[in-house]
Amino acid sequence: SRLACSFRSDSAHFLIVWRALGRRSKGAADGGPTETKSDIDELDQRSMIIHWLISLLFAVGAVENYDGDEELSCKRRHGGIPLPLGVFTVQKEGFPDALPAIRTALSHVHTRSCILQGYRLEMIVKDTHCKTSQGMKALFDLIASRPRPVAILGGQCTEVNEPIAMALKYWQIVQLSYAETHAKFASSDSHELFPTFFRVVPGNRNTNMAKCKFVNHFGWKRVGTVKQNDQPRYALPHEALTTRLEHGFGVKIVHTAGVNWEQIETVGAELDELKERDVRIILVDVDEEMAATVICAGYHRGMYGDNYVWILPGYHSDKWLNKTHDNCTAEEMKEAARNHFSVEFALTRRDVDTKIVGNTRAGDVWEEISKLDPNNTWRGYLYDGLWTLAIALSHSMGDNAEFSHHKMIEAIDNSSFQGLTGKVKFANNERLGLVDIKQWSEGQYIPFAMYDGAEDEFKIIESTSKGWSPPLDSTITERRREHISSLLFLAMSLLALIGIFLALIFLLINFRYRNHRFIKMSSPNLNNIIIAGSICTFASVIMLGLDTRIVSPDGFVWLCYMKTWTLCLGFTLSFGAMFSKTWRVHSIFTNIRMDRKAIKDSKLFLILGVLLFIDLCVLVTWAFISPFSYTVTELPHIPEDNIVIIPEVEKCYSSHSGVFQAVLYAVKGVLMILGCFLAWETRHVNVPALNDSKYIGTSVYCCVVMSVLGLSTSVILQERVNEMFSLASFFVIFSTTLTLCLVFVPKVIELARNPVGNEPRAYRRGLMKSVVAKTSQPMSPQPRSDSSGDLMNKAESENKLRRRYLHQKSTQLWDLVEKLRARGDTQFLQQEWCLSSASPSSQERETSLLLRQPSSSNNREETSLTAAGPNGERSCDWPWVDPDEPSTKL
């Protein structure tokens, strides 16, 4: 193919000369320059024949001389038709020299390709000094030269390129810049202002697209930006970037901070605004010095580290990080800039083994031009720019060596070849090229990702991206519905079911042995009420743990009513029954005779009914005036790194629930206070006939303590559903279970000990002990009083105390005698002083008579207790009551 390319080019060059000579000779022979169409056709036919013959001769000669060396490809003569090419450079300190790379590319075009055969590119170099005046002078010099250049390669400075590009459209000369990146050449009206201007270096269109792809790759949907208002080079592409992010990728621009040198003190305020709006991803378009100022200000506001991402323009240098700053030290700058990203056009392609234009390995060409000028940032684009013009010129030259300006522009727009800086392709006079995204890590920029504008491909470099995890674009708000732990709910439900099962067992025992003397004297009907209330409170524990995971929101509302009513009524049933029994014990204890009228269960049921009626009135009024509704309440937010957790709790909402709860708490508080008072008053009662009086008092204490603790914890821990449920359930289950056990376990033990219930004497004995224990007090001397009334009261009080003391000792004596009789000790019972067998002495009679005499109305109970003898016979010698005739009639 290389040989054929050379044959065709050489024969084409010969053909052009042949046709010119043929036309000239024929015109001379005819005596004038006129030639007809038939003459031209005849000449063209002969020219084609000669063209193929000459090609064949060149082919034979080339094959004979071809020795297999690849460097032989496309050898050509140094001669050829010259094509002038203007080159704008800047030959002064601080600017790279463009000529070495251009000469290398020109050499490769002439020696390693098949294009421009028969032509020779000749450079006309002009130094613009990076000044507008010098640039325009250089342009006029090129326009005035003969022949006029077919194209211009350069320049480097925007102030030179802009006026030249605007003027060249009138001369229809193409300008291809290798270093121009200003956004004004890619604006909406750039095609009208600069129709013949092209740039081979990728512009902001590529870097903006790379930033968009980078943001989209990590799924960031909220970003903030910083732009430099006083620099159009950065402000114009920034506006295009924000538009593309919002409309092309759906990324929200939370805030754009504008900074400039005239108001440099406002940089901190702008960053404060970004931080206040919780911006974590920040895209910056500023110059190098402003970038250092912005990064320093971000450091002092804590906007750095693993939770922030700064995306800066690529400056192909890291010197801006090493510049001294007034507010930040070098170490602070390094810390603030850690892991930031820079987006810049690539200097060369990464696949160095790829064969590029000229059939040369990309790595070899890069090494060659890098040796000439290693500090020239534009060397790769100089090389590709010259190849672009050469290929476009080859397509724009006609068969008759006539140059077409329109074909030149069309050829550049349609360019597509593999160059040193990637695939060379244009769109709207803009190069679609390679963009590098680098990350600053460990004191240097490391390639992180790349974007190919020609292929529209974005790729992360896996080998260098490891070890860094992308942060969230903002503090994520996570709504977390707080539900009771399933394991905790199952455990408490199991305990509640065990409690219900235990209550049913006690209910069965109470019903089965309801006629047993021990059970019957403890009011089995009220015991059943206690069991029913306990079952309700156990059931409320299960309902308390149900939520919308199990029931629907509508069902949750009904569940609110059920658990409220069940717990309220269950508490009233259990505690009300215990309160009623405690009240009866207290009444019996304070007035043993009670005018010999029994306190029947109907009175206790009446008390319990009043309590239930009050509860029902409050609950029904609550349901009608302020019904429950399902609501979700937000709890205080919990910040965790980049996440803010908003706990949500399902609740039963009632607009006036506080009022009705206060009423219920007040009623039950008064009831519990009265229950505690009655339990305290009857704390010394140990009456087997009232066999559960002491246990009921203990249950009342337990219920009060557990209720207060449960209410307090439910209010304090209402935002912590697991803790609240566990403690509330524990208090309910514990107090209810303890009440059941205190009330019914002694009965079960008594049933096991005495299944028949045939020990009547023991049911009466404790009454005497309880009365004496309650009223007995140690005798102590009283202060002297001159009043006769005080002396009388003192005598009566001492008389009462002594009677009770004698009563207590007599009871103890009776117990000892009963024990001796049970042991069968007849010898001891036959002693003279034994009251059970001998007749009472005179002193004993006096004691008995003293016990029988009612000294006042206050000692009626003592008098009544002296009515029976030791063996059930009426006697004045023994101060106790016959067990077969209970005086209280319980």
Side-chain angles (χ1 to χ4, degrees), residues 698-713:
T698 305
S699 299
V700 170
Y701 286 133
C702 175
C703 287
V704 172
V705 173
M706 294 294 106
S707 298
V708 172
L709 291 177
L711 179 61
S712 303
T713 54

mmCIF file with all atom_site columns, all heavy atoms in Angstrom, residues 698-713:
data_model
loop_
_atom_site.group_PDB
_atom_site.id
_atom_site.type_symbol
_atom_site.label_atom_id
_atom_site.label_alt_id
_atom_site.label_comp_id
_atom_site.label_asym_id
_atom_site.label_entity_id
_atom_site.label_seq_id
_atom_site.pdbx_PDB_ins_code
_atom_site.Cartn_x
_atom_site.Cartn_y
_atom_site.Cartn_z
_atom_site.occupancy
_atom_site.B_iso_or_equiv
_atom_site.pdbx_formal_charge
_atom_site.auth_seq_id
_atom_site.auth_comp_id
_atom_site.auth_asym_id
_atom_site.auth_atom_id
_atom_site.pdbx_PDB_model_num
ATOM 1   N N   . THR A 1 698 ? -49.739 -5.957 101.395 1.00 0.00 ? 698 THR A N   1
ATOM 2   C CA  . THR A 1 698 ? -48.476 -5.989 100.644 1.00 0.00 ? 698 THR A CA  1
ATOM 3   C C   . THR A 1 698 ? -48.719 -5.775 99.153  1.00 0.00 ? 698 THR A C   1
ATOM 4   O O   . THR A 1 698 ? -47.957 -5.080 98.476  1.00 0.00 ? 698 THR A O   1
ATOM 5   C CB  . THR A 1 698 ? -47.779 -7.335 100.872 1.00 0.00 ? 698 THR A CB  1
ATOM 6   O OG1 . THR A 1 698 ? -47.620 -7.556 102.275 1.00 0.00 ? 698 THR A OG1 1
ATOM 7   C CG2 . THR A 1 698 ? -46.423 -7.362 100.197 1.00 0.00 ? 698 THR A CG2 1
ATOM 8   N N   . SER A 1 699 ? -49.783 -6.355 98.618  1.00 0.00 ? 699 SER A N   1
ATOM 9   C CA  . SER A 1 699 ? -50.118 -6.177 97.206  1.00 0.00 ? 699 SER A CA  1
ATOM 10  C C   . SER A 1 699 ? -50.444 -4.722 96.895  1.00 0.00 ? 699 SER A C   1
ATOM 11  O O   . SER A 1 699 ? -50.077 -4.197 95.838  1.00 0.00 ? 699 SER A O   1
ATOM 12  C CB  . SER A 1 699 ? -51.302 -7.069 96.831  1.00 0.00 ? 699 SER A CB  1
ATOM 13  O OG  . SER A 1 699 ? -51.002 -8.420 97.029  1.00 0.00 ? 699 SER A OG  1
ATOM 14  N N   . VAL A 1 700 ? -51.138 -4.068 97.816  1.00 0.00 ? 700 VAL A N   1
ATOM 15  C CA  . VAL A 1 700 ? -51.464 -2.651 97.609  1.00 0.00 ? 700 VAL A CA  1
ATOM 16  C C   . VAL A 1 700 ? -50.189 -1.828 97.534  1.00 0.00 ? 700 VAL A C   1
ATOM 17  O O   . VAL A 1 700 ? -50.016 -0.981 96.644  1.00 0.00 ? 700 VAL A O   1
ATOM 18  C CB  . VAL A 1 700 ? -52.384 -2.148 98.724  1.00 0.00 ? 700 VAL A CB  1
ATOM 19  C CG1 . VAL A 1 700 ? -52.525 -0.628 98.661  1.00 0.00 ? 700 VAL A CG1 1
ATOM 20  C CG2 . VAL A 1 700 ? -53.750 -2.802 98.618  1.00 0.00 ? 700 VAL A CG2 1
ATOM 21  N N   . TYR A 1 701 ? -49.244 -2.073 98.453  1.00 0.00 ? 701 TYR A N   1
ATOM 22  C CA  . TYR A 1 701 ? -47.973 -1.371 98.402  1.00 0.00 ? 701 TYR A CA  1
ATOM 23  C C   . TYR A 1 701 ? -47.275 -1.615 97.065  1.00 0.00 ? 701 TYR A C   1
ATOM 24  O O   . TYR A 1 701 ? -46.735 -0.695 96.436  1.00 0.00 ? 701 TYR A O   1
ATOM 25  C CB  . TYR A 1 701 ? -47.068 -1.838 99.548  1.00 0.00 ? 701 TYR A CB  1
ATOM 26  C CG  . TYR A 1 701 ? -47.461 -1.325 100.896 1.00 0.00 ? 701 TYR A CG  1
ATOM 27  C CD1 . TYR A 1 701 ? -47.543 -2.183 101.997 1.00 0.00 ? 701 TYR A CD1 1
ATOM 28  C CD2 . TYR A 1 701 ? -47.750 0.022  101.104 1.00 0.00 ? 701 TYR A CD2 1
ATOM 29  C CE1 . TYR A 1 701 ? -47.896 -1.719 103.252 1.00 0.00 ? 701 TYR A CE1 1
ATOM 30  C CE2 . TYR A 1 701 ? -48.105 0.484  102.358 1.00 0.00 ? 701 TYR A CE2 1
ATOM 31  C CZ  . TYR A 1 701 ? -48.176 -0.389 103.414 1.00 0.00 ? 701 TYR A CZ  1
ATOM 32  O OH  . TYR A 1 701 ? -48.531 0.077  104.641 1.00 0.00 ? 701 TYR A OH  1
ATOM 33  N N   . CYS A 1 702 ? -47.251 -2.860 96.648  1.00 0.00 ? 702 CYS A N   1
ATOM 34  C CA  . CYS A 1 702 ? -46.577 -3.225 95.397  1.00 0.00 ? 702 CYS A CA  1
ATOM 35  C C   . CYS A 1 702 ? -47.216 -2.525 94.206  1.00 0.00 ? 702 CYS A C   1
ATOM 36  O O   . CYS A 1 702 ? -46.520 -1.980 93.341  1.00 0.00 ? 702 CYS A O   1
ATOM 37  C CB  . CYS A 1 702 ? -46.618 -4.745 95.214  1.00 0.00 ? 702 CYS A CB  1
ATOM 38  S SG  . CYS A 1 702 ? -45.948 -5.304 93.640  1.00 0.00 ? 702 CYS A SG  1
ATOM 39  N N   . CYS A 1 703 ? -48.539 -2.520 94.152  1.00 0.00 ? 703 CYS A N   1
ATOM 40  C CA  . CYS A 1 703 ? -49.233 -1.874 93.027  1.00 0.00 ? 703 CYS A CA  1
ATOM 41  C C   . CYS A 1 703 ? -48.938 -0.381 92.973  1.00 0.00 ? 703 CYS A C   1
ATOM 42  O O   . CYS A 1 703 ? -48.729 0.184  91.899  1.00 0.00 ? 703 CYS A O   1
ATOM 43  C CB  . CYS A 1 703 ? -50.741 -2.106 93.147  1.00 0.00 ? 703 CYS A CB  1
ATOM 44  S SG  . CYS A 1 703 ? -51.262 -3.782 92.761  1.00 0.00 ? 703 CYS A SG  1
ATOM 45  N N   . VAL A 1 704 ? -48.924 0.247  94.136  1.00 0.00 ? 704 VAL A N   1
ATOM 46  C CA  . VAL A 1 704 ? -48.654 1.689  94.163  1.00 0.00 ? 704 VAL A CA  1
ATOM 47  C C   . VAL A 1 704 ? -47.243 1.983  93.669  1.00 0.00 ? 704 VAL A C   1
ATOM 48  O O   . VAL A 1 704 ? -47.028 2.856  92.820  1.00 0.00 ? 704 VAL A O   1
ATOM 49  C CB  . VAL A 1 704 ? -48.861 2.241  95.592  1.00 0.00 ? 704 VAL A CB  1
ATOM 50  C CG1 . VAL A 1 704 ? -48.385 3.684  95.675  1.00 0.00 ? 704 VAL A CG1 1
ATOM 51  C CG2 . VAL A 1 704 ? -50.321 2.142  95.983  1.00 0.00 ? 704 VAL A CG2 1
ATOM 52  N N   . VAL A 1 705 ? -46.273 1.235  94.170  1.00 0.00 ? 705 VAL A N   1
ATOM 53  C CA  . VAL A 1 705 ? -44.880 1.485  93.773  1.00 0.00 ? 705 VAL A CA  1
ATOM 54  C C   . VAL A 1 705 ? -44.687 1.210  92.284  1.00 0.00 ? 705 VAL A C   1
ATOM 55  O O   . VAL A 1 705 ? -44.091 2.010  91.544  1.00 0.00 ? 705 VAL A O   1
ATOM 56  C CB  . VAL A 1 705 ? -43.925 0.630  94.620  1.00 0.00 ? 705 VAL A CB  1
ATOM 57  C CG1 . VAL A 1 705 ? -42.496 0.767  94.095  1.00 0.00 ? 705 VAL A CG1 1
ATOM 58  C CG2 . VAL A 1 705 ? -43.998 1.045  96.070  1.00 0.00 ? 705 VAL A CG2 1
ATOM 59  N N   . MET A 1 706 ? -45.192 0.073  91.812  1.00 0.00 ? 706 MET A N   1
ATOM 60  C CA  . MET A 1 706 ? -45.027 -0.264 90.407  1.00 0.00 ? 706 MET A CA  1
ATOM 61  C C   . MET A 1 706 ? -45.767 0.711  89.496  1.00 0.00 ? 706 MET A C   1
ATOM 62  O O   . MET A 1 706 ? -45.284 1.049  88.406  1.00 0.00 ? 706 MET A O   1
ATOM 63  C CB  . MET A 1 706 ? -45.545 -1.693 90.159  1.00 0.00 ? 706 MET A CB  1
ATOM 64  C CG  . MET A 1 706 ? -44.736 -2.778 90.837  1.00 0.00 ? 706 MET A CG  1
ATOM 65  S SD  . MET A 1 706 ? -43.044 -2.935 90.205  1.00 0.00 ? 706 MET A SD  1
ATOM 66  C CE  . MET A 1 706 ? -42.147 -2.211 91.580  1.00 0.00 ? 706 MET A CE  1
ATOM 67  N N   . SER A 1 707 ? -46.928 1.175  89.915  1.00 0.00 ? 707 SER A N   1
ATOM 68  C CA  . SER A 1 707 ? -47.686 2.131  89.101  1.00 0.00 ? 707 SER A CA  1
ATOM 69  C C   . SER A 1 707 ? -46.949 3.452  88.973  1.00 0.00 ? 707 SER A C   1
ATOM 70  O O   . SER A 1 707 ? -46.860 4.038  87.890  1.00 0.00 ? 707 SER A O   1
ATOM 71  C CB  . SER A 1 707 ? -49.074 2.345  89.704  1.00 0.00 ? 707 SER A CB  1
ATOM 72  O OG  . SER A 1 707 ? -49.810 1.142  89.715  1.00 0.00 ? 707 SER A OG  1
ATOM 73  N N   . VAL A 1 708 ? -46.407 3.937  90.086  1.00 0.00 ? 708 VAL A N   1
ATOM 74  C CA  . VAL A 1 708 ? -45.656 5.200  90.046  1.00 0.00 ? 708 VAL A CA  1
ATOM 75  C C   . VAL A 1 708 ? -44.413 5.059  89.177  1.00 0.00 ? 708 VAL A C   1
ATOM 76  O O   . VAL A 1 708 ? -44.106 5.920  88.335  1.00 0.00 ? 708 VAL A O   1
ATOM 77  C CB  . VAL A 1 708 ? -45.291 5.636  91.474  1.00 0.00 ? 708 VAL A CB  1
ATOM 78  C CG1 . VAL A 1 708 ? -44.348 6.842  91.444  1.00 0.00 ? 708 VAL A CG1 1
ATOM 79  C CG2 . VAL A 1 708 ? -46.545 5.964  92.260  1.00 0.00 ? 708 VAL A CG2 1
ATOM 80  N N   . LEU A 1 709 ? -43.688 3.959  89.360  1.00 0.00 ? 709 LEU A N   1
ATOM 81  C CA  . LEU A 1 709 ? -42.499 3.747  88.541  1.00 0.00 ? 709 LEU A CA  1
ATOM 82  C C   . LEU A 1 709 ? -42.843 3.573  87.073  1.00 0.00 ? 709 LEU A C   1
ATOM 83  O O   . LEU A 1 709 ? -42.176 4.113  86.193  1.00 0.00 ? 709 LEU A O   1
ATOM 84  C CB  . LEU A 1 709 ? -41.735 2.519  89.053  1.00 0.00 ? 709 LEU A CB  1
ATOM 85  C CG  . LEU A 1 709 ? -41.067 2.660  90.428  1.00 0.00 ? 709 LEU A CG  1
ATOM 86  C CD1 . LEU A 1 709 ? -40.408 1.345  90.816  1.00 0.00 ? 709 LEU A CD1 1
ATOM 87  C CD2 . LEU A 1 709 ? -40.043 3.783  90.415  1.00 0.00 ? 709 LEU A CD2 1
ATOM 88  N N   . GLY A 1 710 ? -43.882 2.802  86.795  1.00 0.00 ? 710 GLY A N   1
ATOM 89  C CA  . GLY A 1 710 ? -44.269 2.595  85.403  1.00 0.00 ? 710 GLY A CA  1
ATOM 90  C C   . GLY A 1 710 ? -44.707 3.873  84.721  1.00 0.00 ? 710 GLY A C   1
ATOM 91  O O   . GLY A 1 710 ? -44.342 4.144  83.565  1.00 0.00 ? 710 GLY A O   1
ATOM 92  N N   . LEU A 1 711 ? -45.482 4.699  85.405  1.00 0.00 ? 711 LEU A N   1
ATOM 93  C CA  . LEU A 1 711 ? -45.922 5.977  84.825  1.00 0.00 ? 711 LEU A CA  1
ATOM 94  C C   . LEU A 1 711 ? -44.738 6.900  84.601  1.00 0.00 ? 711 LEU A C   1
ATOM 95  O O   . LEU A 1 711 ? -44.641 7.564  83.554  1.00 0.00 ? 711 LEU A O   1
ATOM 96  C CB  . LEU A 1 711 ? -46.945 6.625  85.755  1.00 0.00 ? 711 LEU A CB  1
ATOM 97  C CG  . LEU A 1 711 ? -47.485 7.989  85.307  1.00 0.00 ? 711 LEU A CG  1
ATOM 98  C CD1 . LEU A 1 711 ? -48.190 7.874  83.975  1.00 0.00 ? 711 LEU A CD1 1
ATOM 99  C CD2 . LEU A 1 711 ? -48.409 8.571  86.367  1.00 0.00 ? 711 LEU A CD2 1
ATOM 100 N N   . SER A 1 712 ? -43.824 6.947  85.549  1.00 0.00 ? 712 SER A N   1
ATOM 101 C CA  . SER A 1 712 ? -42.667 7.837  85.408  1.00 0.00 ? 712 SER A CA  1
ATOM 102 C C   . SER A 1 712 ? -41.786 7.415  84.244  1.00 0.00 ? 712 SER A C   1
ATOM 103 O O   . SER A 1 712 ? -41.380 8.242  83.417  1.00 0.00 ? 712 SER A O   1
ATOM 104 C CB  . SER A 1 712 ? -41.852 7.838  86.709  1.00 0.00 ? 712 SER A CB  1
ATOM 105 O OG  . SER A 1 712 ? -42.656 8.230  87.797  1.00 0.00 ? 712 SER A OG  1
ATOM 106 N N   . THR A 1 713 ? -41.485 6.143  84.156  1.00 0.00 ? 713 THR A N   1
ATOM 107 C CA  . THR A 1 713 ? -40.624 5.681  83.068  1.00 0.00 ? 713 THR A CA  1
ATOM 108 C C   . THR A 1 713 ? -41.296 5.821  81.712  1.00 0.00 ? 713 THR A C   1
ATOM 109 O O   . THR A 1 713 ? -40.628 6.101  80.711  1.00 0.00 ? 713 THR A O   1
ATOM 110 C CB  . THR A 1 713 ? -40.239 4.218  83.296  1.00 0.00 ? 713 THR A CB  1
ATOM 111 O OG1 . THR A 1 713 ? -41.432 3.422  83.478  1.00 0.00 ? 713 THR A OG1 1
ATOM 112 C CG2 . THR A 1 713 ? -39.357 4.076  84.513  1.00 0.00 ? 713 THR A CG2 1
#
